[in-house]
Amino acid sequence: MNFTEYSAIVSAFKDGAFTSIHDNYDDICHAQDQLIAELTSKGAVIKGWKVVDDSGVFIISPIFDFQIFENQGTQLPKNDVSGIEVEICYQCSVPILASDIAYNVNSSQPLVAIEVLRPKINDSSYPSCDFYYNYGILVSSQPITGDFSLNSGQRYDYSTSAPDFFEQKKKVLLKGMQECVRRGYIDDFFFMTGSLNGLIGTDICLGKNDVIASGSTLISVDVI
């Protein structure tokens, strides 16, 4: 599957608006599962999940194989991009048994990721479903062990020195893993655990964007 095929399916699903969903989490999950089933039946493969736990609002949404970009040398068209977000990401195997989740979470190393967002496929869609605006993701191949920065038109510095920085991210990872087990998504996935500074718009990220840690470039992507 490619992004054009994906967009067509998402636009047509429930008239592109998820109109049956209001504020009921179970309804959101049910509709997501229906859409996931349709996409996977057409060849898409889930590779990861975006997990957000913010002020009591919990959202989990899939990232598919065709949305994964190389973390070095990728070029993205500016007209398809509304901005980027920097996230902490974990590669983790979802077990069949819930009792095995904690061990897998504790064994996972933090990576850094750039999520690429696009304008919503349908403006009337339900706001808690990433299907409508996720364009793709770039994930570092090396773990993050300390502070890092993003050079993206301007410099953004990220501190991991707070004693509970990664512990808080692993709590989000744990909830995502638990939800995957509950809903039967058993595989090796990456989990994005929420934006570190919100959306960096296209006007700022146009051109070269590098994530740098310990003198090494972990991610490099051009918005052209």
Side-chain angles (χ1 to χ4, degrees):
M1 178 175 288
N2 58 41
F3 199 84
T4 300
E5 295 169 320
Y6 167 83
S7 297
I9 292 172
V10 171
S11 296
F13 184 77
K14 295 185 180 293
D15 297 323
F18 270 32
T19 52
S20 66
I21 302 176
H22 299 288
D23 294 322
N24 186 299
Y25 179 72
D26 288 335
D27 286 349
I28 295 172
C29 291
H30 179 65
Q32 275 194 351
D33 289 339
Q34 286 181 295
L35 184 48
I36 289 169
E38 183 169 351
L39 289 164
T40 54
S41 73
K42 302 291 176 56
V45 178
I46 299 175
K47 289 295 185 179
W49 300 85
K50 179 169 184 176
V51 185
V52 179
D53 190 7
D54 183 21
S55 303
V57 178
F58 181 72
I59 302 167
I60 181 168
S61 192
I63 310 296
F64 296 96
D65 53 343
F66 58 89
Q67 294 171 299
I68 311 298
F69 301 123
E70 294 292 333
N71 60 27
Q72 301 289 334
T74 292
Q75 294 184 333
L76 301 173
K78 64 180 181 180
N79 292 337
D80 292 340
V81 175
S82 62
I84 62 176
E85 294 183 351
V86 177
E87 314 224 2
I88 296 297
C89 184
Y90 291 89
Q91 188 77 29
C92 204
S93 180
V94 177
I96 296 174
L97 300 177
S99 58
D100 294 330
I101 293 175
Y103 175 81
N104 290 13
V105 167
N106 290 332
S107 300
S108 297
Q109 296 297 310
L111 306 169
V112 65
I114 288 181
E115 182 186 15
V116 184
L117 302 181
R118 55 157 292 137
K120 277 191 176 184
I121 293 172
N122 188 315
D123 287 335
S124 62
S125 65
Y126 189 76
S128 292
C129 188
D130 280 10
F131 285 107
Y132 289 98
Y133 52 84
N134 190 289
Y135 189 78
I137 182 174
L138 306 94
V139 183
S140 67
S141 55
Q142 299 297 320
I144 289 292
T145 57
D147 296 350
F148 60 98
S149 63
L150 168 71
N151 291 331
S152 178
Q154 63 189 64
R155 181 184 172 99
Y156 300 85
D157 293 312
Y158 301 95
S159 175
T160 63
S161 58
D164 64 344
F165 179 85
F166 291 118
E167 285 75 8
Q168 291 302 318
K169 292 299 178 182
K170 281 198 170 182
K171 287 181 181 178
V172 180
L173 168 63
L174 176 64
K175 291 190 72 170
M177 294 271 284
Q178 290 171 333
E179 190 64 6
C180 281
V181 170
R182 184 182 77 86
R183 291 165 63 182
Y185 296 107
I186 309 301
D187 209 331
D188 190 45
F189 298 119
F190 63 80
F191 291 82
M192 294 189 296
T193 58
S195 174
L196 295 181
N197 65 309
L199 181 71
I200 300 170
T202 307
D203 57 331
I204 296 175
C205 70
L206 187 64
K208 193 172 183 61
N209 300 272
D210 294 331
V211 176
I212 299 170
S214 302
S216 297
T217 301
L218 303 184
I219 299 175
S220 181
V221 56
D222 291 334
V223 178
I224 58 175

